[in-house]
Amino acid sequence: MIKRIGVLTRDCSGVNAALRSVVRTADSHGIEVLGIIRGYDGLIDGNFMPLDRRAVSGILNQGGTILKSARSRRFLTEEGQRKALETIEKNQLDALVVIGGNGSLTAAHLLATKFGVKVMGIPATIDNDVNGVDFCLGADTAVNVALDALDKIRDTATSLERIFVVEVMGRDCGYLAMKVALAGGCEDVIIPEQDFSLAEICREIQEGNAREKVSWIIIVAEGRATAAEVATAITMLTGLETRIAVLGHIQRGGRPTAFDRILGAKLGHAAIEYLLQGKTDCCLSLKEDRIETVSLEIAIQPKKLKFEADYRLLKILS
Ligand code: F6P
């Protein structure tokens, strides 16, 4: 029997949409929901707010998370984990829904395996690096936010005939960089998953210059290099002036796209339905039009993505 659950979140666009769906689906089954403020720190401190249907109205189009979030150092300690368990027991939480990326899901897996807490994960990270999950909440919005910025940079790149190196987030995953580069018609992309040669990039730039192609935009994933490193090297090798832009945290915020809102709705709903079916220690993944479960043990392993086909396409089109 599940009568009361807790829900905690990391921040990215679409998280509020998922939270709304969790709360309203739970309500339709007569399940009470406690929102946990500031992630795992809030779980340790028992920092909760009751969430009913009305508490989650008007949040669907908001970025970030209304529950606030934190990178909890205390949960990494035995004492923190024990305190979290005490809070779960004291408040009679029958299950936890954890909306977040690798760190949050790893902690959820620990609660499930070490203490037998029922947990359901909703993958939410702009990095899109949860193993076995094609689409993490927030990644689509991040690509679109970065693309919007890139389109503006291109206006200057084209007008002033300049080379730009644009750094995007993604931690150790090149997903965001590759999708932005492809969608933005960029000349090149540097990502952790594949080798690159600066000499080759510079040769292309110089050949381009000879045929009067003078504006270039190169995307670099933060997990591979910094924009400053790449730009300095290009200037050294070609003698051409190069500008940089580091997009940073703007990529994690903003109004969620329709895709992320719908994904949030589906994942939030499925989280409750799967918990009621007795599923635990897993997270959710959209496959075609169904939501399936992936065990957390698998989900927290490093994700190995291949981008050769995307890269070939980018080079053909640039
Ligand atoms: O995991 C999401 C992410 O935005 C990464 O892309 C980035 O490397 C990191 O978090 C930044 O973390 P913080 O917000 O703690 O600086």
Side-chain angles (χ1 to χ4, degrees):
M1 275 292 281
I2 295 185
K3 289 190 178 153
R4 180 187 288 161
I5 63 165
V7 54
L8 67 83
T9 61
R10 278 289 293 164
D11 74 294
C12 65
S13 298
V15 164
N16 285 326
L19 183 63
R20 170 178 176 269
S21 178
V22 165
V23 170
R24 293 192 171 173
T25 306
D27 180 72
S28 74
H29 288 287
I31 298 170
E32 203 183 323
V33 182
L34 293 182
I36 302 167
I37 317 284
R38 297 196 183 86
Y40 285 95
D41 275 348
L43 186 61
I44 291 168
D45 297 332
N47 193 358
F48 296 152
M49 67 188 266
L51 293 175
D52 60 13
R53 295 184 74 85
R54 288 194 60 198
V56 291
S57 72
I59 67 169
L60 180 59
N61 59 358
Q62 288 176 23
T65 167
I66 60 159
L67 290 181
K68 306 206 179 293
S69 195
R71 292 203 189 282
S72 174
R73 290 186 180 281
R74 283 187 290 153
F75 192 82
L76 301 175
T77 66
E78 182 70 25
E79 192 195 345
Q81 292 162 14
R82 296 263 162 213
K83 279 203 174 140
L85 179 67
E86 269 171 36
T87 317
I88 290 169
E89 288 172 349
K90 198 167 115 203
N91 289 277
Q92 297 176 315
L93 298 181
D94 300 313
L96 277 187
V97 175
V98 173
I99 308 177
N102 280 309
S104 309
L105 298 178
T106 301
H109 181 53
L110 183 141
L111 286 173
T113 49
K114 193 164 171 179
F115 302 124
V117 176
K118 286 200 184 78
V119 297
M120 184 58 63
I122 295 183
T125 165
I126 64 166
D127 306 339
N128 205 35
D129 61 349
V130 175
N131 189 39
V133 174
D134 293 342
F135 304 103
C136 296
L137 213 46
D140 184 65
T141 304
V143 171
N144 281 285
V145 167
L147 187 61
D148 183 54
L150 190 74
D151 286 346
K152 291 173 178 136
I153 290 168
R154 186 172 289 288
D155 289 346
T156 297
T158 314
S159 306
L160 276 172
E161 305 185 316
R162 264 188 188 156
I163 304 168
F164 268 90
V165 182
V166 179
E167 182 181 320
V168 301
M169 278 185 166
R171 214 179 278 277
D172 298 322
C173 183
Y175 178 90
L176 187 51
M178 182 56 85
K179 298 302 163 187
V180 170
L182 202 47
C186 295
E187 277 69 24
D188 221 314
V189 59
I190 297 173
I191 54 173
E193 291 82 358
Q194 65 187 41
D195 293 336
F196 73 100
S197 154
L198 267 177
E200 175 65 16
I201 292 175
C202 290
R203 192 185 57 75
E204 283 181 14
I205 291 175
Q206 280 166 327
E207 281 177 9
N209 261 16
R211 2 175 258 278
E212 295 189 357
K213 174 176 171 49
V214 276
S215 80
W216 293 77
I217 299 186
I218 298 163
I219 304 287
V220 55
E222 65 172 359
R224 187 60 197 254
T226 66
E229 286 162 356
V230 175
T232 306
I234 291 175
T235 302
M236 257 175 54
L237 291 171
T238 62
L240 296 167
E241 208 180 335
T242 307
R243 291 283 191 273
I244 64 165
V246 180
L247 299 188
H249 286 80
I250 66 160
Q251 296 159 100
R252 219 159 79 197
R255 283 158 51 93
T257 56
F259 181 86
D260 274 332
R261 295 184 203 193
I262 294 167
L263 184 62
K266 291 188 176 188
L267 294 174
H269 177 260
I272 298 300
E273 297 297 334
Y274 275 123
L275 277 172
L276 286 170
Q277 286 170 29
K279 291 263 185 195
T280 177
D281 197 18
C282 53
C283 73
L284 303 170
S285 170
L286 177 69
K287 292 269 185 269
E288 293 170 3
D289 207 26
R290 296 183 315 279
I291 303 294
E292 297 183 350
T293 57
V294 178
S295 85
L296 281 178
E297 195 178 347
I298 302 226
I300 62 177
Q301 300 305 318
K303 185 178 192 175
K304 291 193 178 67
L305 281 173
K306 290 201 171 74
F307 292 110
E308 284 93 353
D310 275 2
Y311 189 70
R312 269 198 305 277
L313 181 59
L314 180 136
K315 293 308 287 180
I316 291 169
L317 301 183
S318 71

